Amino acid sequence: MWDVLVSPFTEFQFMRAALVSVVFLALSAAPVGVFLVIRRMSLMGDALSHAVLPGAAAGYMLAGLSVPAMSLGGFVAGVVMAVLAGLVSRFTTLKEDASFAAFYLSSLALGVLMVSRGGNNVDLLNLLFGSILGIDTPSLALIACVTSVTVVALAIMYRPLVLESIDPLFLRAVGGKGSWWHLLFMLLVVLNLVAGFQALGTLMSVGLMMLPAISARLWSQRLGLILACSAFIALLCGYGGLLLSFYIEIPSGPAIILLCGLVYLLSVFLGKEGGLVAQWVRGRHKKA
């Protein structure tokens, strides 16, 4: 059993690098996803992950497979889309989710066209789905930096962010500057999506952010436990996905996200807070 579970990571450096990247992403992206869930902004994470693609494609076309160029391009593109979607919702009758949907669909199409014109199918697949087993030192350093910034920022922002998520009117009434906390939080989301796309691609990175967070919400109502549970689920699925990709030769990114999806389905049925079984048991107790 030890050989099956541990030997791939002790024998192969690329497996160790992939596991380290999963640990970093689990500690940062999953907790950020929890705040997206409690703020009812789950689909905006998906929209922003697609918005990163044109910027990453522009960086690729200018500098090739350069981590700084693609990361900077992806970050700028994500921030620009978030700002534009907010402005459209502020000055028109469209809601913010509709603005995000319009921008992210356009961004995805633009990014695919840019990579198709400037590269090849392999480059396009790497940008869309990532290659965590081929992650290099600069990408790993970027993910580590983003994780450090995210953990520190969430610790500083925790109280006002919780208040802004639950009761924004109260925070505004006491002069809490909720709009600034919202903006800083959206920057954290974009940062984590940029870090995630280095390993999992633009289409898969949001999966590690959202699926563990949604699953964790079905197991507890205490925010601290939800944050810890989401990180644990992301880490467990990342570890299991890497083992699956090693032994049965399937793409590692989709394997990780598929395991996250299976944990979500399990949580839907067995989760203590809102799962189908728990609600059925409570219903029987009420009738009794």
Side-chain angles (χ1 to χ4, degrees), residues 237-255:
C237 292
Y239 173 76
L242 291 176
L243 287 178
L244 282 177
S245 68
F246 181 81
Y247 285 114
I248 62 179
E249 297 183 0
I250 59 175
S252 51

Side-chain angles (χ1 to χ4, degrees), residues 3-287:
D3 288 339
V4 173
L5 297 179
V6 177
S7 62
F9 303 101
T10 58
E11 295 179 11
F12 300 100
Q13 192 275 335
F14 69 91
M15 290 292 289
R16 291 195 295 272
L19 182 61
V20 170
S21 68
V22 163
V23 172
F24 284 137
L25 290 173
L27 293 175
S28 61
V32 168
V34 169
F35 283 102
L36 283 173
V37 171
I38 66 175
R39 294 160 70 90
R40 296 181 176 90
M41 296 172 61
S42 301
L43 291 178
M44 291 184 187
D46 185 51
L48 286 172
S49 72
H50 291 79
V52 166
L53 182 57
Y60 166 77
M61 293 175 69
L62 292 174
L65 293 173
S66 167
V67 172
M70 291 193 297
S71 300
L72 180 60
F75 179 75
V76 171
V79 171
V80 167
M81 197 202 81
V83 171
L84 289 177
L87 291 174
V88 169
S89 64
R90 182 183 180 94
F91 294 107
T92 70
T93 57
L94 287 175
K95 298 295 185 182
E96 194 172 26
D97 59 341
S99 302
F100 269 104
F103 278 109
Y104 100 76
L105 290 171
S106 303
S107 298
L108 178 60
L110 177 61
V112 170
L113 286 176
M114 290 172 67
V115 179
S116 300
R117 294 284 295 177
N120 53 50
N121 289 336
V122 174
D123 298 326
L124 178 59
L125 288 175
N126 282 336
L127 282 176
L128 292 178
F129 300 106
S131 181
I132 192 170
L133 294 182
I135 196 164
D136 54 11
T137 301
S139 298
L140 200 57
L142 172 67
I143 294 172
C145 289
V146 169
T147 299
S148 301
V149 170
T150 300
V151 171
V152 173
L154 286 180
I156 296 172
M157 297 166 58
Y158 184 82
R159 287 175 65 98
L161 193 58
V162 171
L163 277 175
E164 205 271 333
S165 301
I166 297 173
D167 195 349
L169 293 179
F170 171 77
L171 187 64
R172 191 178 304 130
V174 297
K177 299 181 180 179
S179 58
W180 286 104
W181 295 117
H182 175 77
L183 178 60
L184 290 174
F185 174 70
M186 295 305 292
L187 291 177
L188 277 186
V189 174
V190 175
L191 267 179
N192 278 271
L193 290 171
V194 169
F197 109 82
Q198 301 291 341
L200 299 171
T202 57
L203 295 186
M204 295 287 109
S205 60
V206 71
L208 196 65
M209 178 179 288
M210 298 312 307
L211 285 171
I214 297 169
S215 301
R217 181 63 184 84
L218 291 167
W219 289 98
S220 178
Q221 290 186 342
R222 296 175 58 187
L223 184 56
L225 286 177
I226 295 173
L227 291 169
C229 186
S230 68
F232 175 75
I233 292 172
L235 179 57
L236 185 65
C237 292
Y239 173 76
L242 291 176
L243 287 178
L244 282 177
S245 68
F246 181 81
Y247 285 114
I248 62 179
E249 297 183 0
I250 59 175
S252 51
I256 292 171
I257 304 308
L258 181 60
L259 283 183
C260 290
L262 291 176
V263 172
Y264 164 71
L265 291 177
L266 181 67
S267 302
V268 167
F269 284 98
L270 302 179
K272 292 171 58 179
E273 300 294 338
L276 296 176
V277 174
Q279 291 195 67
W280 177 73
V281 171
R282 291 193 189 104
R284 290 198 62 181
H285 282 308
K286 288 180 180 179
K287 290 180 181 178

